């Protein structure tokens, strides 16, 4: 008689090793994809941190019309090292844009330069958020650099 028990143990070992190799391959592919995504996210966060750490703006309201009218223009100065692509100026009372046209916030303010904003609409207290470019197709807001300006005489 031939001992068939030895053959079934051999088949079981081959199947067990095959399943272990297959599972290891699946886990390896998943880990490789996940680590690539995590490293891309870390690089992006460091780019954001690098840019925002070197952003500095100075603002003051143009109060030339006071006391008859509320100041409706803001002078912005870029004191940092990177170009400020645009600014979002939001009315703190209703969270609406202070510009009548959303493109009025496009300023492209180079380091060391100053600019006067377009006319602001009904903004008594404004939140000013500088936005910088971190890649060719991505502009981000530096929330830790936002300022609040009271626009009253």
């Amino acid at each position: 008689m031939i001992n068939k028990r030895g053959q079934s143990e051999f088949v079981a070992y081959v199947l067990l090793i095959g399943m272990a190799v297959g599972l290891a391959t699946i886990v390896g592919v998943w880990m490789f994809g996940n680590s690539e995504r995590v490293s891309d996210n870390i690089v992006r966060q460091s780019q954001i941190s690098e840019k925002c750490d070197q952003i500095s703006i100075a603002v003051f309201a143009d109060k030339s019309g006071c006391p008859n009218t509320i100041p409706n223009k803001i002078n912005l100065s870029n004191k940092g090292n990177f170009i400020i692509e645009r600014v979002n100026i939001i009315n703190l009372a209703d969270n609406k844009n202070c510009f009548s046209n959303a493109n009025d916030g496009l300023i492209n303010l180079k380091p060391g330069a100053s600019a006067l904003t377009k006319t602001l609409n009904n903004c008594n207290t404004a939140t000013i958020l500088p936005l910088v470019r971190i890649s060719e197709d991505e502009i981000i807001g530096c929330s830790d650099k936002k300022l609040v300006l009271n626009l009253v005489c």
Side-chain angles (χ1 to χ4, degrees):
M1 272 179 90
I2 300 175
N3 186 358
K4 295 205 175 207
R5 182 174 173 169
Q7 291 176 348
S8 63
E9 284 181 15
F10 178 72
V11 170
Y13 285 128
V14 168
L15 288 174
L16 186 61
I17 291 171
M19 286 192 299
V21 169
L23 184 61
T25 302
I26 290 170
V27 169
V29 168
W30 174 80
M31 285 179 58
F32 180 74
N34 196 32
S35 66
E36 187 175 339
R37 183 178 52 83
V38 168
S39 66
D40 287 347
N41 191 28
I42 290 171
V43 168
R44 183 176 179 280
Q45 290 299 326
S46 67
Q47 288 174 331
I48 291 171
S49 178
E50 174 193 357
K51 292 278 183 160
C52 286
D53 285 348
Q54 296 186 37
I55 291 294
S56 178
I57 59 171
V59 299
F60 67 90
D62 178 15
K63 296 186 177 184
S64 58
C66 286
N68 300 331
T69 60
I70 294 174
N72 61 0
K73 292 190 178 192
I74 297 174
N75 190 330
L76 299 163
S77 297
N78 185 353
K79 304 290 184 187
N81 298 326
F82 292 108
I83 295 173
I84 297 174
E85 295 285 331
R86 63 180 295 136
V87 289
N88 281 350
I89 302 179
I90 306 296
N91 188 357
L92 202 58
D94 60 6
N95 285 332
K96 291 186 179 175
N97 197 332
C98 290
F99 295 119
S100 55
N101 181 351
N103 287 332
D104 287 347
L106 296 171
I107 57 171
N108 200 21
L109 193 59
K110 294 180 175 44
S114 295
L116 196 63
T117 64
K118 305 252 179 165
T119 302
L120 305 175
N121 295 327
N122 299 323
C123 280
N124 293 332
T125 304
T127 302
I128 302 160
L129 178 68
L131 288 93
V132 294
R133 185 173 299 279
I134 61 168
S135 66
E136 284 192 31
D137 58 345
E138 189 173 13
I139 296 176
I140 55 105
C142 297
S143 59
D144 56 332
K145 301 296 181 169
K146 76 178 173 184
L147 302 172
V148 176
L149 184 63
N150 198 358
L151 298 171
V152 292
C153 294

